[in-house]
């Protein structure tokens, strides 16, 4: 996930027809004031500690959750690995996809261009020390993901056809039970609107736009045959066709694709990082010293210790989305009878995104130590704008791999497609909350989403995308507020799960229902056990999100 990242290196500004320029101008003009206002409010920071308050909110939330739940990201890794492997899962479990596919679906929405461009900008602005704080924030974010994804499953609804509706749209109304009705509905509705808008623009148009721009760059820049307007539409249609073929099948189809795509694209990128690192193996110790020393050094770029700290923490927050409430939407579809099991699985998400992928990028840049990187750092220290992060990263790779721009184009395309697929589902769940979940409604949404995918290759809509990137962080305030209220629920679930694990009771969950020696009702709570109709027992059939059912008068499942 990204916020206001620049166009990839060498992306060519083509001369579009006047009618296209007028459309772009009109839309950008309409969103300029909104973007400035929301950016000012959400990303306000005091002069003495220039970290946006919304990033501080995420950081403090991660620290509070970590301490309150007893450091689950450290104690629960072994148990989490067993859950991912399916030791406590059965084909009879309610839900749509297994733990591994739920994890890869969520990871595909976070591992993206931010891991390439965002990290490049971070080590320029904060120096090597920013990497240290980025890793620390990623580790803290693991606890946040644990908490929100546990809630996403606990308060989900399982329908008669086996599909699932879950995530913040279900647990926020429960968390806000004591609020007046208008406030509960308003906060949850604002969360849904932000998710929907980002899904259509920031998580959609931006991704297809960057894919097209990188394609132009590696095929000749200004002389590329793909510069023509017809090719802009053509590439957009190809991307839309790929995405459409996946999302028509729903979450099960998304899970199958991401379970293959995420390891493949991550493997390609990490191997490229390792190639650069191993080619300069003698510089690894000095790079580690630079990262650790730079984290505390008063001489670090961009304001010394404070600059490295702030840049590292911000990059982690922007990258792994811990606390924003997006990931629980994917995780809620998992096949399980114990909600906290998916919380343990979700621990791996910030670890993969930030601790592994972002750190590998940062190490590659620091070890390659290119002239461009050093000039960019010096320029930023002297007051110049931060260099294009994609250029910083690409130059570092190209120092060891001459043909890396082609590999980068493939990586950008894979990252973008995976992000598009996952955010199409997030947006769909928000659409269903705001309107309804009928087949006609979902079909309309998918048509709109794919239309914007094509438009992303043709129109930039810079202010619109900046606006959606900004308001996505409104979700962080609303979502973490709800998580705070429900922390006692999470802690109780976690304690029960640990107790059942130590006693061996969890292994019963790995058997088919017919082979279980303990009744399902004794192994799982009522809303994770389907009744004769195929639904979970506590589902609200008249829940429309606005004015009826669980979204405004939730049953107390605590």
């Amino acid at each position: 996930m990204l916020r206001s990242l620049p166009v990839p290196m060498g992306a060519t500004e083509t001369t579009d027809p006047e009618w296209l320029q007028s459309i772009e101008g009109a839309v950008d003009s309409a969103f300029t004031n909104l973007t400035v206002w929301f950016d000012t409010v959400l990303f306000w920071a005091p002069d003495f500690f220039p970290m946006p308050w919304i990033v501080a909110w995420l950081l403090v939330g991660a620290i509070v959750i970590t301490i309150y739940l007893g450091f689950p990201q450290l104690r629960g890794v072994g148990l989490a690995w067993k859950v991912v492997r399916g030791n406590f899962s059965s084909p009879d479990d309610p839900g749509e996809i297994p733990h591994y596919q739920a994890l890869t679906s969520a990871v595909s929405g976070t591992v993206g261009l931010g891991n390439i461009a965002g990290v490049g900008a971070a080590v320029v602005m904060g120096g090597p020390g920013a990497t240290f704080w980025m890793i620390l924030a990623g580790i803290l974010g693991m606890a946040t993901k644990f908490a929100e994804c546990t809630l996403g499953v606990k308060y989900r609804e399982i329908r008669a056809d086996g599909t699932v509706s879950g995530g913040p749209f279900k647990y926020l109304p429960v968390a806000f039970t004591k609020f007046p009705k208008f406030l509960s509905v308003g906060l949850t509705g604002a969360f849904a609107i932000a998710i929907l808008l980002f899904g259509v623009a920031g998580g959609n148009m931006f991704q297809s736009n960057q894919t097209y721009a990188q394609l132009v760059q590696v095929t000749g820049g200004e002389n590329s045959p793909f510069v023509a307007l017809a090719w802009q539409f053509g590439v957009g249609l190809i991307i839309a066709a790929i995405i459409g073929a996946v999302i028509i099948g729903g979450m099960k189809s998304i899970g199958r694709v991401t379970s293959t795509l995420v390891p493949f694209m991550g493997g390609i990128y990490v191997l490229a990082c390792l190639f650069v690192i191993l080619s300069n193996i003698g510089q690894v110790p000095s790079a580690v010293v630079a990262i650790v020393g730079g984290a505390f050094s008063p001489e670090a770029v961009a304001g010394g210790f404070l600059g490295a700290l702030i840049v590292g923490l911000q990059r982690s927050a922007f990258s792994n989305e811990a606390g924003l409430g997006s990931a629980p939407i994917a995780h809620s579809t998992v096949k399980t009878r114990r909600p906290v099991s998916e919380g343990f699985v979700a621990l791996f998400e910030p670890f993969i995104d930030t601790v592994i992928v972002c750190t590998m990028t940062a190490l590659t840049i620091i070890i390659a130590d290119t002239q461009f990187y050093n000039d960019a750092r010096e320029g930023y220290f002297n007051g110049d704008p931060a260099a294009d992060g994609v250029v910083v990263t690409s130059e570092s790779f190209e120092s060891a791999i001459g043909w890396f721009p082609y590999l980068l184009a493939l990586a950008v395309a894979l990252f973008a497609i995976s992000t598009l697929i996952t955010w199409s589902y997030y947006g769909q769940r928000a659409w269903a909350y705001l309107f309804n979940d009928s087949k006609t409604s979902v079909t309309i949404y998918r048509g709109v989403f794919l239309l914007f995918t094509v438009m992303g290759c043709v129109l930039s809509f810079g202010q619109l995308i900046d606006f959606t990137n900004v308001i996505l962080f409104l979700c962080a305030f609303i979502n973490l507020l709800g998580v705070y209220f429900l922390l006692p629920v999470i802690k109780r679930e976690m304690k029960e799960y640990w107790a059942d694990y130590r006693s061996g009771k969890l292994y019963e969950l790995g058997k088919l229902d017919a082979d279980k020696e303990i009744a399902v009702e004794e192994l799982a709570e009522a809303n994770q056990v389907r009744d004769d109709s195929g639904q979970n027992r506590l589902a609200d059939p008249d829940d429309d999100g606005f004015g009826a059912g669980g979204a405004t008068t939730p049953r107390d499942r605590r």
Side-chain angles (χ1 to χ4, degrees):
M1 193 278 298
L2 302 173
R3 179 176 182 266
S4 302
L5 289 180
V7 175
M9 175 183 62
T12 306
E13 293 186 9
T14 60
T15 304
D16 292 324
E18 289 188 8
W19 62 274
L20 279 181
Q21 295 181 39
S22 64
I23 293 174
E24 279 188 340
V27 172
D28 281 350
S29 176
F31 279 91
T32 296
N33 291 334
L34 276 176
T35 302
V36 171
W37 188 87
F38 273 97
D39 187 79
T40 301
V41 172
L42 289 174
F43 288 88
W44 175 84
D47 293 334
F48 64 88
F49 192 75
M51 177 187 290
W53 74 266
I54 195 67
V55 176
W57 172 258
L58 286 166
L59 176 63
V60 171
I63 294 172
V64 169
I65 293 169
T66 294
I67 295 173
Y68 184 83
L69 297 180
F71 295 84
Q73 66 268 62
L74 302 181
R75 295 192 299 128
V77 173
L79 177 56
W81 179 245
K82 291 182 178 180
V83 176
V84 172
R85 293 178 60 189
N87 289 17
F88 316 121
S89 302
S90 163
D92 292 332
D93 291 343
E96 297 187 62
I97 56 178
H99 289 290
Y100 172 70
Q101 290 186 5
L103 175 63
T104 55
S105 296
V107 168
S108 72
T110 58
V111 175
L113 300 178
N115 302 89
I116 299 173
V119 175
V123 293
V124 168
M125 294 186 290
T131 309
F132 177 90
W133 298 110
M134 185 173 61
I135 294 170
L136 179 63
I139 293 172
L140 290 171
M142 292 168 71
T144 307
K145 278 287 174 78
F146 172 88
E148 61 184 348
C149 292
T150 296
L151 294 175
V153 179
K154 180 171 177 60
Y155 296 103
R156 68 181 179 177
E157 175 189 344
I158 303 169
R159 305 188 187 93
D161 62 0
T163 58
V164 173
S165 175
F169 312 114
K170 294 297 181 182
Y171 66 73
L172 287 178
V174 179
F176 300 149
T177 302
K178 293 182 173 60
F179 287 0
K181 182 177 177 178
F182 78 90
L183 187 56
S184 174
V185 173
L187 287 173
T188 310
F191 177 90
I193 290 170
I195 288 287
L196 176 60
L197 288 176
F198 183 82
V200 170
N204 183 0
M205 292 182 65
F206 182 81
Q207 302 298 325
S208 60
N209 181 276
Q210 299 289 280
T211 302
Y212 170 75
Q214 189 64 27
L215 174 65
V216 169
Q217 164 61 19
V218 299
T219 54
E222 294 181 359
N223 299 317
S224 170
F226 296 104
V227 169
L229 180 60
W231 272 112
Q232 290 179 265
F233 277 106
V235 172
L237 287 170
I238 291 171
I239 297 173
I242 295 171
I243 303 304
V246 176
I247 66 177
I248 287 174
M251 194 59 202
K252 291 182 179 179
S253 176
I254 292 172
R256 286 192 298 269
V257 172
T258 57
S259 65
T260 301
L261 184 59
V262 168
F264 178 70
M265 70 182 188
I268 289 176
Y269 190 72
V270 169
L271 284 174
C273 292
L274 286 174
F275 185 86
V276 176
I277 293 169
L278 294 176
S279 298
N280 301 273
I281 192 68
Q283 299 178 40
V284 171
S286 60
V288 174
V289 170
I291 289 172
V292 177
F296 303 95
S297 171
E299 305 301 326
V301 177
F305 160 72
L306 190 60
L309 169 68
I310 292 171
V311 170
L313 295 179
Q314 287 186 173
R315 174 46 44 203
S316 178
F318 295 157
S319 178
N320 62 47
E321 299 179 22
L324 268 63
S326 52
I329 302 172
H331 284 282
S332 68
T333 63
V334 70
K335 291 174 69 68
T336 187
R337 286 198 165 101
R338 298 293 287 271
V340 76
S341 67
E342 192 59 20
F344 281 108
V345 171
L347 288 174
F348 289 118
E349 196 182 325
F351 184 82
I352 294 170
D353 177 273
T354 305
V355 179
I356 294 180
V357 181
C358 285
T359 302
M360 292 292 282
T361 302
L363 269 175
T364 299
I365 295 169
I366 295 165
I367 288 173
D369 198 29
T370 63
Q371 187 62 46
F372 185 89
Y373 166 57
N374 285 287
D375 290 345
R377 288 183 61 192
E378 183 179 354
Y380 186 75
F381 185 75
N382 292 327
D384 296 337
D388 189 330
V390 170
V391 181
V392 175
T393 304
S394 185
E395 288 281 337
S396 300
F397 278 109
E398 198 168 357
S399 67
I401 310 174
W403 42 266
F404 180 77
Y406 297 98
L407 183 62
L408 181 62
L410 176 62
V412 166
L414 292 177
F415 283 145
I417 288 172
S418 69
T419 302
L420 276 162
I421 290 171
T422 298
W423 271 97
S424 71
Y425 183 75
Y426 293 167
Q428 179 181 316
R429 299 318 313 155
W431 176 283
Y433 177 85
L434 294 168
F435 303 105
N436 65 69
D437 208 8
S438 67
K439 288 185 179 180
T440 301
S441 178
V442 170
T443 300
I444 292 173
Y445 163 77
R446 289 172 178 166
V448 170
F449 185 88
L450 294 175
L451 174 63
F452 273 80
T453 302
V454 177
M455 290 172 62
C457 289
V458 180
L459 299 168
S460 296
F461 286 159
Q463 288 296 324
L464 171 60
I465 292 175
D466 282 348
F467 171 70
T468 60
N469 279 317
V470 168
I471 65 166
L472 181 63
F473 281 84
L474 175 64
C475 297
F477 171 73
I478 299 171
N479 181 61
L480 273 184
L481 185 63
V483 171
Y484 279 137
F485 282 121
L486 294 173
L487 276 177
V489 180
I490 301 167
K491 192 169 188 176
R492 185 173 66 245
E493 292 265 341
M494 184 179 68
K495 285 184 175 180
E496 292 173 355
Y497 198 74
W498 272 113
D500 288 348
Y501 171 62
R502 295 188 182 103
S503 69
K505 193 174 179 180
L506 283 188
Y507 288 94
E508 284 290 308
L509 288 168
K511 301 176 182 178
L512 295 173
D513 287 355
D515 299 330
K516 286 181 171 63
E517 297 176 13
I518 302 175
V520 173
E521 288 75 14
E522 294 182 35
L523 295 168
E525 59 187 74
N527 70 316
Q528 305 301 329
V529 179
R530 288 180 286 191
D531 59 21
D532 293 338
S533 72
Q535 291 183 303
N536 57 290
R537 296 179 181 179
L538 296 184
D540 264 325
D542 57 347
D543 178 2
D544 64 358
F546 289 94
T552 51
T553 55
R555 293 178 177 148
D556 189 353
R557 300 180 189 167
R558 289 172 285 178

